[in-house]
Amino acid sequence: MVASSELPHHHQTTLMAKSTSRNGNTKPTSSTCLFLGGAFSALLLVWGLSSVTTPIPNQNNLNLTPTENNAVPTNPTPDLRFDPPDRTFYDDPQIGYTMDNKVKNWDQKRQDWLRKHPSFLAGAKDRVLMVTGSQPSPCRNPVGDHFLLRFFKNKVDYCRIHGLEIFYNNALLHPQMFAYWAKYPVMRSAMMAHPEAEWIWWVDSDALFTDMEFTLPLHRYNNHNLVVHGWPQLIHEKRSWTGLNAGVFLIRNCQWSLDFMDVWASMGPQTPNYNKWGQILRSTFKDKFFPESDDQTGLAYLIAMEKEKWADRIYLESEYYFEGYWEEIVGQLENITKRYDALERRVRRLRRRHAEKVSESYGQVREEYLKDGGFGKGSLRRPFITHFTGCQPCSGKYNEMYTADDCWNGMKKALNFADNQVMRKYGFVHTDLLDNKDVSAVPFDYPQTDDLTLHSGNNRLN
């Protein structure tokens, strides 16, 4: 799997054994009352000991065998130990994981698998698997692997906070599908490996979450199968290849998506028409400055030129930073921190210490104060995802329109800005967004108190 940062600018529990110790040395007496009283006291003692040493059954370890009508179990936690012997698509030797192995009736196959695994049915329609990855070899840039590690940590933090699962791939699953095309064999395999997931969420290695509270508004996409950051006018009217960005996208685990990715990937380097597609895409989108066929322009082409076939199921999201261009974001991080600190000074509940596991509830409270604050550049809220397109942290070959300091310092700032939202739950924050090692303990009732001064370089944030 080639690192997305190498892309061009466009983008269990074992139950304790029950205690067997008992007090069996009760001395007999001639008095029946004393005997009964002593026996009763012993019984109470044994009962008390038993209640301490006998564990409470963990419902997660119960074998939730499906009922005759395959009703959804009342326990919403998936049973990870139950896989019935009934045949599923996994037992069909004709079905494979590779791009050239066509799958038919996938929606029915997924539903059949879910019916045979009813513990996964609860919450299935909103279950998301995040997928990301990097190249199989070490980075050429000396600090590239460090940056990739921190970008991955950021994604793991976000997934842990929101109860999502994540798959990281660094193997090239198709030897000819390199660079930006390498993610499609991974997405194809992820759909097969995770029939329980309704959505597969690709996030490039050089993209990070700069709002750790924000959650995907999945209800907006009920009638769509693919969500990508983009602007219809730039695609349909101006025919611009930058009318969308394919570095972050959400795709439904369904037959439509498999079919669409087959068509999309047919423009890739593993096909004999690769060079031809490069010419077609460049002639259609006049501002495309390099000749190779790429996935971003290919997606724009399918939306613009095969609109009736695909476009109705593709959601071009532009109302929030589904992924945002880093250069217009990093300079705003100081002001964003000021605004959030000011809000917390006014609303005590928002600055209350709390467990990380309940972070989403505080995001919901904060939303009441941000809902009229707008989205995008200059808004009151943090950008959801910041994408360092063109910086290429792994190779170090950043786009010439930037300087090295622009890229490296921008990534440090954004990573520490995001990490502060995580570390604060653990009692610390980075006091200098440009210094990874500089951290301070957060005082009680912060930021109402003035015990901690945050700064970024020479810029005061409060």
Side-chain angles (χ1 to χ4, degrees):
M1 173 71 190
V2 177
S4 59
S5 53
E6 295 297 299
L7 308 187
H9 161 61
H10 61 283
H11 313 339
Q12 138 175 117
T13 298
T14 302
L15 292 176
M16 295 169 56
K18 185 184 291 186
S19 173
T20 56
S21 63
R22 295 291 184 269
N23 184 355
N25 296 323
T26 305
K27 186 176 180 179
T29 70
S30 58
S31 173
T32 302
C33 292
L34 287 174
F35 173 79
L36 291 175
F40 183 65
S41 298
L43 177 60
L44 288 175
L45 178 61
V46 172
W47 185 18
L49 287 172
S50 177
S51 67
V52 171
T53 59
T54 303
I56 299 173
N58 185 345
Q59 287 188 338
N60 293 345
N61 292 326
L62 299 179
N63 185 13
L64 300 178
T65 306
T67 58
E68 290 183 359
N69 59 355
N70 284 322
V72 179
T74 55
N75 179 13
T77 305
D79 187 350
L80 306 182
R81 296 183 175 186
F82 177 76
D83 191 20
D86 311 54
R87 282 182 58 85
T88 68
F89 66 89
Y90 287 115
D91 300 293
D92 185 351
Q94 302 303 315
I95 293 181
Y97 296 83
T98 60
M99 290 292 293
D100 56 357
N101 195 301
K102 305 297 182 184
V103 176
K104 297 180 179 179
N105 301 319
W106 177 238
D107 297 338
Q108 182 60 44
K109 289 177 169 65
R110 273 195 68 220
Q111 288 301 314
D112 180 62
W113 188 92
L114 285 168
R115 281 194 296 268
K116 290 179 169 64
H117 299 78
S119 69
F120 287 92
L121 285 169
K125 72 182 183 70
D126 293 330
R127 189 172 290 124
V128 177
L129 170 72
M130 186 183 296
V131 180
T132 186
S134 61
Q135 63 184 40
S137 57
C139 291
R140 292 191 294 273
N141 181 15
V143 296
D145 290 306
H146 170 72
F147 273 120
L148 290 189
L149 176 62
R150 292 208 62 196
F151 275 101
F152 180 48
K153 175 196 178 300
N154 169 268
K155 297 176 180 68
V156 171
D157 284 338
Y158 181 86
C159 288
R160 183 185 64 254
I161 290 169
H162 296 282
L164 304 182
E165 293 191 357
I166 185 169
F167 172 59
Y168 190 100
N169 176 70
N170 64 346
L172 192 60
L173 301 190
H174 193 299
Q176 293 176 289
M177 298 185 75
F178 49 80
Y180 26 73
W181 292 105
K183 54 181 171 278
Y184 300 101
V186 183
M187 297 294 281
R188 169 68 159 69
S189 292
M191 288 183 177
M192 301 290 292
H194 288 272
E196 82 286 356
E198 180 68 14
W199 294 97
I200 310 296
W201 189 7
W202 174 266
V203 183
D204 268 359
S205 65
D206 59 351
L208 71 141
F209 292 86
T210 37
D211 189 343
M212 305 302 287
E213 290 179 341
F214 192 85
T215 57
L216 287 168
L218 293 177
H219 62 280
R220 292 162 64 101
Y221 316 132
N222 285 340
N223 299 319
H224 298 84
N225 296 328
L226 176 64
V227 183
V228 63
H229 197 202
W231 302 265
Q233 181 182 6
L234 291 179
I235 296 173
H236 295 294
E237 298 178 16
K238 296 190 176 181
R239 290 288 192 268
S240 173
W241 75 292
T242 60
L244 58 84
N245 188 290
V248 179
F249 64 86
L250 188 67
I251 191 165
R252 195 182 296 275
N253 193 355
C254 66
Q255 185 67 53
W256 182 96
S257 299
L258 290 173
D259 294 340
F260 183 77
M261 283 199 297
D262 284 341
V263 175
W264 195 359
S266 69
M267 304 176 183
Q270 81 286 4
T271 69
N273 294 323
Y274 179 55
N275 291 332
K276 179 181 177 181
W277 270 113
Q279 296 171 6
I280 294 173
L281 297 179
R282 197 170 186 184
S283 64
T284 305
F285 298 89
K286 304 298 185 182
D287 60 346
K288 177 178 167 61
F289 57 85
F290 56 97
E292 295 85 7
S293 172
D294 67 286
D295 65 329
Q296 179 167 304
T297 316
L299 177 56
Y301 180 91
L302 293 174
I303 293 174
M305 309 307 291
E306 299 186 16
K307 181 179 179 181
E308 294 182 359
K309 187 174 182 179
W310 306 112
D312 288 345
R313 290 291 180 176
I314 300 175
Y315 195 108
L316 292 174
E317 181 61 85
S318 60
E319 294 189 22
Y320 66 96
Y321 277 122
F322 186 76
E323 65 83 44
Y325 182 37
W326 67 272
E327 197 176 38
E328 71 179 37
I329 290 175
V330 292
Q332 301 296 316
L333 296 181
E334 290 88 353
N335 290 332
I336 293 171
T337 301
K338 283 183 180 180
R339 290 195 288 266
Y340 274 68
D341 284 351
L343 175 58
E344 291 189 12
R345 289 190 181 97
R346 297 197 309 270
V347 185
R348 188 179 188 282
R349 184 178 178 185
L350 288 176
R351 63 179 186 268
R352 180 191 180 196
R353 290 177 176 175
H354 58 272
E356 185 180 73
K357 284 293 185 182
V358 296
S359 294
E360 279 196 1
S361 67
Y362 287 81
Q364 292 172 350
V365 172
R366 197 186 309 275
E367 185 60 29
E368 288 299 308
Y369 298 90
L370 296 175
K371 61 185 179 182
D372 298 324
F375 291 89
K377 187 175 181 179
S379 74
L380 296 179
R381 62 181 73 236
R382 305 171 180 132
F384 184 34
I385 295 180
T386 301
H387 194 181
F388 282 85
T389 55
C391 278
Q392 302 188 20
C394 195
S395 71
K397 296 180 179 179
Y398 52 87
N399 192 296
E400 293 181 356
M401 64 185 294
Y402 319 123
T403 67
D405 285 345
D406 287 339
C407 283
W408 314 142
N409 290 336
M411 286 187 284
K412 286 180 185 178
K413 261 190 176 183
L415 286 164
N416 287 329
F417 174 84
D419 202 35
N420 274 349
Q421 299 168 51
V422 179
M423 290 187 63
R424 187 169 167 186
K425 311 299 187 300
Y426 296 81
F428 294 84
V429 293
H430 296 279
T431 50
D432 185 339
L433 296 184
L434 288 174
D435 188 344
N436 301 338
K437 296 179 292 185
D438 186 10
V439 295
S440 293
V442 178
F444 185 78
D445 208 32
Y446 175 82
Q448 185 68 14
T449 59
D450 294 325
D451 301 63
L452 178 67
T453 299
L454 295 179
H455 61 282
S456 175
N458 296 320
N459 297 318
R460 294 287 294 267
L461 296 190
N462 68 344

